[in-house]
Amino acid sequence: MANRVCMGNEAIALGAIKAGVRVVSGYPGTPSTEIIETLINEKDPNINVQWSTNEKVALEVAAGAAYAGARSMVTMKQVGLNVATDPLMSLAYIGINGGMVVAVADDPGPWSSQTEQDTRHFAKHANLPVFDPSSPEEAYEMVQAAFDLSEEFQIPVILRPTTRVCHASATVMLGEVPALKPVSGFEKRPEWTIFPALSYKKHGELEAKQRMMSDKFSDLKFNRLFSGGTKGVAVSGVSYLYAKEVIGEFGLDVTLLKVGTPYPMPEKITEEFLSVVESVLVLEELDPVVEEQLLIQSAGRVPILGKRTGLLPWNGEYCFESVKSALFSYLGIKAEEEAASVLPEFPKRPPVLCAGCPHRASFYEVKVATKDVKKAIYCGDIGCYTLGNAAPLNMVDTCLCMGAGITVAQGLALAEPGSKCIAFAGDSTFFHTGIPGIINAVYQNTDITLVVLDNHTTAMTGHQPHPGTGRTAMGKPAKALSIETILRACGVEHIATVDPFDYETAVAAFREAVDFCGPSAVITKAPCIFQMKRPETVHRVNSSCIGCLKCIKQLGCPAMTPDENGKVVINGSLCTDCSLCSNVCPVGAIKRGDRNV
Ligand code: SF4
Ligand code: SF4
């Protein structure tokens, strides 16, 4: 046994190692990414870890390993589960052999996501059990219990940490890792192949498992009843910690039910809870999943209060203050007037592409190349390059989900034939879900231009590799798939590959691609600046600057600021010497210079 300070995601990874996981696959997505990053850093030769091309692929890889009797885990963020839902639903019916955990991190807030969706609904929808950890320590233990449960009932189990659990750190007591059990191997059985008659039978079995698991859950330590007064409080996930803190600090007399497995509900323990309280307040982030199940179970015997009664908001993260305010209002306690804490005025800092980011150059060049187009629509996508929407670039008119820039552009082009639709996709997004959209554009001969912003990495989530990078998650060399070759194989006839910092050539390539009638593509290749060595030179503004501010107004590079004389200075510690600004200055005032001058 050893104590270690762990982030929640590390605790999940270490819990999986202790549980004997053999195969882990996933797609990077905040707040889940560090689960796989930790497993990569652990370099355990018994575990095969991979960044898959998307979440559906990752889930299917993990399912195959579990068919063969290996313990497997798949990781993703909540929106990633949308991509993986198809195999997940069928897998619930088919079942597995080795234990399989589906770790899906939810993002109340949301801090870095396009939705605030609640994975517990997916668990209910798919008839799969879900564990909802309240802390890193509990996440470490829950992942092990989830593997055991999965193997016992031969179905995948969802682990659903939220941002605050994933990214908080705590001291976790790590147990000894037992010797790995051998993998039984795949046993051929007709049940591995889903057919209507089989799914009818399996559906019945799946429903029966829910009841058995509910009974089992009532005895799990993750579900607990803390006896107190007749006022009941039911909590799920990280809200448990906030409630415990408020109850402890103000000495509140309540009976507390901690729900660690929100689906299926541990009905024996919840029944015990409902029989001793006169009302219940439910505290849970995102949707009223526990609240609604308690409402059904209580069948009017006990009032159930929470989001549905307006005591708590449906959106955003909870915190000590919001839980305190809900508890006080539920218990009829008048909060003492506290001196309003005066928060300092934070400087406004809108999200912006980094200084020297190659995407800035690509966006700007597309803008220049399309300035005479009657109506150009720019279809963005998910990644760092979504930031191309900000002024002064204003180059993202739509952004829906991974890979959708390419397909939304096609829909727009069909609806508005006179417009020119330009879709942007990063290299990782291209492999994730971009390719089927490109095939569709070629098949339907839709007139769009695809710009693949290839910075040789999955930058937004922390530089994970992908099939185009030539290395695996474990750092081994791999075949680097060529985006250009794939585009050609998909049938795209007009393809150009350019360096976005070769300004004139890039603008000309974009013009040609936009003029081409039918699907065309330009691949802009330049590494993310965080993967480059610091250059020895930078750009400087000399005395011929006329203060027109064209450089700032058109590019918005954060290395450039106006000085007190109305001219421009370049911050040498930020400048990456990309030279984009020198193409914009009308009087040639921006030149390369020595970094140390
Ligand atoms: S060269 Fe110009 S555009 Fe490039 S990072 Fe430096 S200041 Fe910014
Ligand atoms: S574009 Fe050139 S002249 Fe105008 S402010 Fe920038 S550096 Fe000065």
Side-chain angles (χ1 to χ4, degrees), residues 308-322:
R308 297 191 152 275
T309 54
L311 275 177
L312 286 138
W314 289 60
N315 56 342
E317 273 196 306
Y318 287 180
C319 61
F320 176 86
E321 286 303 330
S322 56

Side-chain angles (χ1 to χ4, degrees), residues 355-356 539 555 557 559-560 570 574-581:
H539 273 63
L555 301 177
C557 172
M560 313 187 91
I570 291 177
L574 290 178
C575 178
T576 64
D577 204 29
C578 77
S579 81
L580 181 64
C581 50

Side-chain angles (χ1 to χ4, degrees), residues 234 265 270 280 282 290-298 304:
M265 280 282 272
T270 49
V280 177
V282 186
V290 168
E291 188 178 324
E292 285 177 358
Q293 291 183 87
L294 284 176
L295 207 56
I296 292 169
Q297 198 181 340
S298 80
I304 309 292

Side-chain angles (χ1 to χ4, degrees), residues 228-397:
T230 53
K231 290 281 194 178
V233 177
V235 283
S236 181
V238 72
S239 306
Y240 167 64
L241 297 186
Y242 302 135
K244 224 171 74 163
E245 204 178 334
V246 177
I247 290 167
E249 186 167 323
F250 296 96
L252 307 180
D253 184 23
V254 296
T255 289
L256 185 70
L257 173 72
K258 175 184 179 302
V259 182
T261 58
Y263 186 80
M265 280 282 272
E267 287 192 0
K268 280 189 187 159
I269 198 170
T270 49
E271 191 52 45
E272 197 184 329
F273 173 64
L274 290 170
S275 67
V276 296
V277 294
E278 62 186 25
S279 61
V280 177
L281 171 70
V282 186
L283 301 167
E284 59 189 322
E285 283 179 333
L286 298 178
D287 294 351
V289 172
V290 168
E291 188 178 324
E292 285 177 358
Q293 291 183 87
L294 284 176
L295 207 56
I296 292 169
Q297 198 181 340
S298 80
R301 285 176 290 157
V302 176
I304 309 292
L305 314 172
K307 293 175 199 283
R308 297 191 152 275
T309 54
L311 275 177
L312 286 138
W314 289 60
N315 56 342
E317 273 196 306
Y318 287 180
C319 61
F320 176 86
E321 286 303 330
S322 56
V323 167
K324 178 185 150 196
S325 139
L327 270 166
F328 273 31
S329 132
Y330 169 56
L331 298 172
I333 302 170
K334 201 168 169 318
E336 275 179 31
E337 289 295 320
E338 288 168 22
S341 49
V342 182
L343 288 174
E345 189 72 17
F346 292 113
K348 301 265 180 298
R349 194 174 155 272
V352 65
L353 291 167
C354 306
C357 173
H359 300 337
R360 174 178 288 101
S362 302
F363 280 129
Y364 183 68
E365 288 150 2
V366 173
K367 194 173 199 168
V368 171
T370 54
K371 72 175 187 318
D372 297 327
V373 172
K374 200 166 149 222
K375 182 171 182 184
I377 306 174
Y378 307 107
C379 300
D381 220 300
I382 306 283
C384 292
Y385 52 98
T386 315
L387 298 174
N389 73 327
L393 294 168
N394 301 314
M395 287 295 283
V396 175
D397 294 322

